[in-house]
Amino acid sequence: MIKEISHPILKDRLTLMRCKETSSKDFRQAVEEIATFMTYEIARDFPTKEIEIETPITKCTAQILADEFIVVPILRAGLGMVSGVLKVLPNAAVGHIGLVRDETTHKPIEYYKKLPPNISNKKILVVDPMLATGGSSSAALQMLKDAGAKNIIFVCIISAPEGIKKISEDHPDIPIYTAAIDDHLNENAYIVPGLGDAGDRIFDTL
Ligand code: PRP
Ligand code: URA
């Protein structure tokens, strides 16, 4: 399932991210803001449960989020989204998966994995700004399934049709949320029009 989240504020921040003159500071801020707004929109579908509380006036029944959450950024670029997601889900635990694309084959190479305990009964938001070939995100989703995760969603900012197809085929059970579906990949497997290398632009390592 692919769900494109459309909102004027998202479009505005996305344009800032795409623009090649945008500084790392402004790029980072836009990534964080987009992650916050996307999480807020995605959370419309999250179940709630009733609890009994006492206000200063009286006892009443109130609602809280039914799930516990884990955010898992795909390093490096996914790190830029974590603080934005945590603004909406402040009690979430954070796991990390380190993957980097080989520059020639474009296949992901794993270099780090650290996950919180008890992931099987928590809702997991895997975050990465870019879904290009889908190699990195598909590998990360498989690593989480292998570790016992059962309730996963994937949140990316810009996606390519090629990556959407791969995730839909490899992980038909995992919803993909994106703020934009771009045109295609170029010969270097970069998204067109895209925004260039998200990790380099977040961390000013161009
Ligand atoms: C980028 C991006 C994704 C991946 C997407 O990471 O953040 O993880 O590429 O490409 P794919 O869908 O073709 O796998 P990169 O490997 O450049 O590492 P970085 O985040 O450390 O820069
Ligand atoms: N990774 C990026 O950072 N950008 C792309 O366009 C593709 C992969």
Side-chain angles (χ1 to χ4, degrees), residues 107-169:
K107 301 269 183 252
I109 301 164
E110 179 188 336
Y111 62 88
Y112 189 73
K113 183 176 82 166
K114 183 78 181 174
L115 300 174
N118 306 322
I119 69 169
S120 60
N121 51 12
K122 306 216 169 126
K123 188 171 184 76
I124 302 178
L125 287 79
V126 177
V127 297
D128 191 327
M130 309 305 277
L131 171 59
T133 66
S136 306
S137 38
S138 181
L141 296 172
Q142 192 56 54
M143 287 162 73
L144 286 163
K145 284 181 176 176
D146 292 345
K150 294 186 177 61
N151 185 359
I152 310 174
I153 65 173
F154 178 57
V155 186
C156 59
I157 296 179
I158 297 182
S159 53
E162 294 88 334
I164 294 170
K165 182 167 180 288
K166 180 163 177 62
I167 301 299
S168 307
E169 286 171 2

Side-chain angles (χ1 to χ4, degrees), residues 39-73:
T39 308
Y40 181 78
E41 283 298 319
I42 292 164
R44 283 182 196 283
D45 299 333
F46 289 176
T48 56
K49 65 180 179 188
E50 290 188 343
I51 58 166
E52 300 301 316
I53 61 161
E54 208 170 332
T55 76
I57 310 299
T58 183
K59 288 184 177 176
C60 72
T61 304
Q63 311 238 356
I64 58 169
L65 289 164
D67 288 309
E68 291 182 76
F69 298 92
I70 300 175
V71 191
V72 179

Side-chain angles (χ1 to χ4, degrees), residues 101 130 132 189-191 196-199:
R101 288 200 320 179
M130 309 305 277
Y190 274 83
I191 299 175
D197 188 304

